[in-house]
Amino acid sequence: MNYKAVLKNIYQTIIAEENEGKVATYIPELAKVNSENFGVHFLSVDTEEHGIGDWQKKFSIQSISKVISLSLAYKIFGDTIWERVGVEPSGTAFNSLVQLESDHGIPRNPFINAGAMVICDMLVTHLKNPKADFLAYVKEICNCDQIQYSETVARSEASIGYRNKALCNYIKSFGNIKNDPKDVLDFYFNMCSIEMNCKELSKTFMFLANSNFKTSKGEKLLNTSKTKRVNAIMQTCGFYDESGEFSFKVGLPGKSGVGGGIVAVHPDRYCITVWSPKLNEKGNSYRGMKFLEAFTTVTELSIF
Ligand code: DON
């Protein structure tokens, strides 16, 4: 397969078309990003790699970070995490509160904001220096040194984060947040503010694609069963109430972020990251979805 030619063709086709959707503005700092940024990075398990367009520019990974926090909590606590968060698609927006009341504070899955906060709470309890330790973990699985939180983005989100604050406090009222909501939210906003480029994201997600993956310290992160499960949750819940659509059109486990990034994983074959800040109505990158649909269609490399 000539991946380079396929990627280039799709990129040129999509960049010539109208760039629909809107950049997220509810986090004031994200509204400042140039909406025409468009980057792609492909990395195969046998280390073939190709970057196109703005693949070297850093962007706010936002909800993509929820996969990293889930993997760390899963590694530390094992299957006990499922006592506090479910594995069902919610069919609701990423920031929805509605199901928490009837579900007694147990979020449907770890990728909606509510579920990600419960996972953050577990990490805040366990890690000595939660923010520093989490960042060190991200660097270790990415095997990259230049990864940072964006204080500016984290502060910007905290300044308007009324809904997330409501979510966290509401879950606390059911007893499913153990720490002070302020500490959990601080960790959550910082986690979402991590900045990476497309290549760093493809590398970070290799632990879900390559069964021989080892961290920079030579450790295996998750065993085969846990890896399968994280991929399964990305497949069913990675795009909120557009998860079915992504599965239908792209056919890969993946995760989106409101910064316009999408990472998709083909177990045993490759990771691919697309970044384009304009989002569709469901909060997922418009061009990212289009690019990945075309990629798995042309290459016939989806998991189905
Ligand atoms: O909590 C929020 O609203 C953001 N920090 C993350 C949301 C997000 O990325 C949704 N993804 N498409």
Side-chain angles (χ1 to χ4, degrees):
M1 176 80 61
N2 187 343
Y3 289 119
K4 190 176 178 183
V6 172
L7 292 159
K8 195 172 155 205
N9 265 336
I10 300 171
Y11 188 89
Q12 283 173 345
T13 306
I14 293 182
I15 207 164
E17 293 169 359
E18 196 188 336
N19 189 7
E20 292 179 31
K22 287 194 182 111
V23 174
T25 52
Y26 75 98
I27 300 176
E29 209 51 36
L30 292 188
K32 297 180 182 166
V33 173
N34 176 354
S35 63
E36 295 313 303
N37 281 306
F38 186 20
V40 180
H41 186 269
F42 169 92
L43 178 61
S44 75
V45 293
D46 43 18
T47 68
E48 176 176 345
E49 63 173 311
H50 304 286
I52 310 187
D54 299 309
W55 63 278
Q56 293 173 92
K57 284 193 195 166
K58 300 261 192 187
F59 60 95
S60 195
I61 71 168
Q62 292 295 323
S63 286
I64 298 172
S65 64
K66 295 169 181 172
V67 183
I68 311 174
S69 51
L70 172 65
S71 71
L72 181 55
Y74 205 8
K75 178 174 180 262
I76 296 170
F77 300 106
D79 285 301
T80 59
I81 65 174
W82 310 122
E83 290 163 16
R84 294 179 57 191
V85 62
V87 294
E88 290 298 336
S90 69
T92 59
F94 62 89
N95 56 4
S96 177
L97 287 117
V98 289
Q99 291 158 339
L100 283 171
E101 180 161 30
S102 52
D103 291 348
H104 311 291
I106 307 287
R108 290 276 165 106
N109 68 66
F111 294 153
I112 49 175
N113 290 6
M117 282 178 204
V118 170
I119 296 289
C120 285
D121 183 58
M122 295 177 196
L123 294 177
V124 168
T125 299
H126 183 87
L127 301 176
K128 239 191 206 143
N129 300 299
K131 284 192 270 185
D133 294 354
F134 184 70
L135 196 62
Y137 172 76
V138 177
K139 290 181 181 175
E140 193 186 320
I141 60 173
C142 175
N143 203 357
C144 322
D145 281 336
Q146 305 301 316
I147 313 281
Q148 295 299 337
Y149 296 116
S150 164
E151 274 300 316
T152 323
V153 172
R155 233 181 291 122
S156 176
E157 181 166 14
S159 74
I160 51 78
Y162 302 110
R163 186 177 275 257
N164 279 330
K165 289 173 194 171
L167 272 169
C168 197
N169 281 287
Y170 195 43
I171 304 169
K172 175 87 180 169
S173 77
F174 290 99
N176 198 19
I177 291 282
K178 312 292 178 194
N179 296 283
D180 184 333
K182 280 204 185 71
D183 296 334
V184 178
L185 285 158
D186 181 56
F187 182 80
Y188 173 83
F189 291 142
N190 274 276
M191 174 185 94
C192 289
S193 82
I194 287 177
E195 295 184 329
M196 287 194 189
N197 63 32
C198 293
K199 177 173 176 166
E200 287 161 345
L201 269 170
S202 296
K203 284 180 73 181
T204 300
F205 274 64
M206 256 303 145
F207 77 95
L208 294 168
N210 184 352
S211 44
N212 296 318
F213 175 87
K214 298 253 169 62
T215 67
S216 58
K217 288 186 182 157
E219 276 174 41
K220 194 168 166 64
L221 207 65
L222 299 179
N223 65 22
T224 310
S225 158
K226 289 193 170 91
T227 304
K228 176 196 76 181
R229 288 174 164 198
V230 174
N231 276 323
I233 303 171
M234 285 209 293
Q235 185 76 44
T236 51
C237 311
F239 299 81
Y240 318 107
D241 47 341
E242 202 170 35
S243 298
E245 185 95 359
F246 188 83
S247 221
F248 179 72
K249 288 185 170 163
V250 179
L252 292 175
K255 187 73 205 80
S256 63
V258 84
I262 299 182
V263 189
V265 173
H266 192 312
D268 293 324
R269 288 201 182 247
Y270 63 84
C271 285
I272 185 166
T273 303
V274 185
W275 171 50
S276 168
K278 282 195 177 178
L279 309 177
N280 65 21
E281 281 167 11
K282 308 281 186 181
N284 299 314
S285 169
Y286 171 79
R287 280 187 163 164
M289 297 273 289
K290 279 202 106 167
F291 190 97
L292 292 169
E293 180 182 6
F295 185 74
T296 55
T297 305
V298 173
T299 59
E300 298 183 359
L301 284 177
S302 89
I303 64 164
F304 298 108

